[in-house]
Amino acid sequence: GLSQGLSQGLSQGLSQGLLDGRAEGLADGRTEGRIQSTMEHVLDVLDARGLTVDPSLRQRIMACTDLEVLARWLRRAVTAVSAEEAIA
């Protein structure tokens, strides 16, 4: 009766909550992965071009968690004359 319905509803709600939480966690994980990857690409491109990345600039790049900003830096890193210009 009522207690079985409540138990079933609670169980379904808990399952949905776990699924939602897992999906959110996966999405966050993917975003974090993309941020980390883009950050590494910025540093790799600057390094491959022989541009000097001083420790404070490297720290600034590593501290950035905005994917759009990192993507902009990556595009600039391809043509910039200095690492500072790329991260300006």
Side-chain angles (χ1 to χ4, degrees), residues 8-72:
Q8 190 174 8
L10 183 61
S11 178
Q12 285 176 341
L14 185 59
S15 294
Q16 188 60 50
L18 288 171
L19 285 173
D20 290 349
R22 184 162 181 247
E24 193 174 305
L26 286 172
D28 287 349
R30 279 195 298 270
T31 300
E32 284 178 28
R34 288 179 64 199
I35 287 169
Q36 183 67 36
S37 177
T38 306
M39 180 187 303
E40 289 169 6
H41 292 337
V42 170
L43 291 167
D44 287 347
V45 169
L46 293 170
D47 183 55
R49 296 194 56 229
L51 300 177
T52 304
V53 181
D54 64 46
S56 66
L57 193 59
R58 177 175 296 276
Q59 189 173 11
R60 187 169 162 210
I61 294 168
M62 299 296 285
C64 183
T65 57
D66 186 329
L67 194 52
E68 284 184 33
V69 171
L70 287 164
R72 185 171 47 235

